[in-house]
Amino acid sequence: MDKPAEMFDRDFEWGELTRFAALPGPRATLGVVSGRRRQGKSFLLDAVTRASGGFMFTATETTEADALRQFGEALARHRSQPTPFRFAHWDEAVTELMRIADRGGPTVAVIDEFPFLAKASPALPSIIQRALDPAAQHTNTPVRLLLCGSALSFMGGLLAGNAPLRGRAGLELVVPTLDFRLASEFWEITDPHTALLTHAIVGGTPAYRREFTQGDAPAGPYDFDAWAPAPSSIPPVHSSARPATCSQRNPNSTTPRSTTPSWPPSPPATPHAAASPTTSAASPPTSPTRSASSRTSA
């Protein structure tokens, strides 16, 4: 499978996913994909699913009954069924999922946002474990099941310790943020200083260019202050909080940016001198054991 032309980098991740998708053998196989939000996991999995003619279901944070309804509808559409599947339990749903590779070759099946399903149905990892047991493999087809999620502690715990799926995965893939050099290339910034400042704000999260900055990027060091906020408000790199970016400025604005460099910034204003302790400090608390006369003479 060829990597889509619009996909930046991710050569290793694409290679691992396509290798897993094409694994030979008649048995169903499990893979786990994780990573922080907005790194392109869903984009990667959607591309692999489309390229291989597989099935992809994106869960929502809802009840077990509603999740089963959504899953049954999506699976019926994929299998060209005239009516949705009506699953009463995840046992039925997973059993049906393991039968979709009925055309002779491996078929990718992706469950994205898997932690949402497991939150509503805590037994789901155990149900998948049972579906991968040797006894169940007699009726399985060569499904390449990929569970994906952004809750790193949960996704890592799926295969750790005494977890039901420990030792079951043929792929464990973590999609990382872009490093500094790759992020500079992704943002199309050639000036190292500007690239460093931009990376300090948005880190290596690819989606920020499309979502927070609407494709806008600083043209160089003289443009950076017009693109970004004051340096004192720059959040830590990779902060989970919403980064302060050029959303304060309309990227489609026709108003020219300032051509006067303002970097490095002016030194911060000198803080006000500390108030004299004789005028601003609060009087010490009065001891409750001393009388008024003793306070006067003290």
Side-chain angles (χ1 to χ4, degrees):
M1 288 179 277
D2 295 328
K3 189 180 79 169
E6 65 272 18
M7 183 179 294
F8 176 81
D9 192 59
R10 301 305 190 197
D11 295 329
F12 172 78
E13 291 80 3
W14 179 259
E16 287 294 286
L17 287 171
T18 54
R19 178 194 63 81
F20 177 80
L23 283 175
R27 295 189 168 204
T29 309
L30 174 68
V32 174
V33 180
S34 62
R36 296 176 69 247
R37 288 200 177 278
R38 318 311 298 135
Q39 303 308 315
K41 301 184 301 299
S42 297
F43 179 67
L44 275 164
L45 293 171
D46 179 70
V48 169
T49 302
R50 291 177 182 274
S52 63
F55 166 72
M56 182 169 179
F57 173 72
T58 301
T60 60
E61 196 167 9
T62 185
T63 63
E64 179 179 75
D66 190 49
L68 284 166
R69 178 190 60 79
Q70 294 178 22
F71 186 81
E73 291 175 353
L75 192 58
R77 285 194 300 270
H78 173 74
R79 306 205 69 182
S80 301
Q81 295 290 330
T83 57
F85 290 107
R86 303 296 182 187
F87 299 126
H89 308 285
W90 276 109
D91 292 274
E92 300 174 358
V94 172
T95 298
E96 186 64 33
L97 179 65
M98 292 300 181
R99 295 172 179 167
I100 67 171
D102 52 5
R103 298 179 182 177
T107 298
V108 172
V110 176
I111 300 181
D112 198 7
E113 301 291 1
F114 181 72
F116 288 158
L117 295 185
K119 180 181 178 181
S121 308
L124 185 53
S126 295
I127 293 172
I128 294 174
Q129 173 204 11
R130 186 166 61 192
L132 295 171
D133 281 343
Q137 292 284 14
H138 293 296
T139 57
N140 288 345
T141 57
V143 170
R144 303 296 173 250
L145 176 61
L146 288 164
L147 307 179
C148 179
S150 302
L152 297 182
S153 59
F154 175 84
M155 296 302 295
L158 281 177
L159 306 176
N162 295 322
L165 296 175
R166 177 183 171 88
R168 305 274 177 172
L171 172 70
E172 184 177 8
L173 178 66
V174 178
V175 180
T177 58
L178 299 176
D179 63 29
F180 169 73
R181 289 178 175 80
L182 282 174
S184 302
E185 184 181 346
F186 178 74
W187 283 82
E188 301 176 276
I189 300 175
T190 56
D191 175 65
H193 184 62
T194 307
L196 177 62
L197 297 177
T198 305
H199 193 71
I201 292 180
V202 296
T205 300
Y208 286 172
R209 184 172 187 185
R210 298 192 309 271
E211 296 175 356
F212 287 137
T213 71
Q214 300 298 304
D216 191 29
Y222 296 106
D223 186 48
F224 181 79
D225 281 0
W227 176 84
S232 61
S233 64
I234 295 176
V237 176
H238 306 318
S239 169
S240 59
R242 183 184 187 277
T245 63
C246 67
S247 57
Q248 296 179 357
R249 186 187 69 83
N250 182 359
N252 298 319
S253 172
T254 58
T255 303
R257 293 170 171 165
S258 171
T259 57
T260 303
S262 58
W263 189 269
S266 302
T270 303
H272 295 295
S276 171
T278 59
T279 58
S280 61
S283 299
T286 302
S287 171
T289 62
R290 300 178 65 189
S291 63
S293 61
S294 65
R295 290 198 300 270
T296 304
S297 62

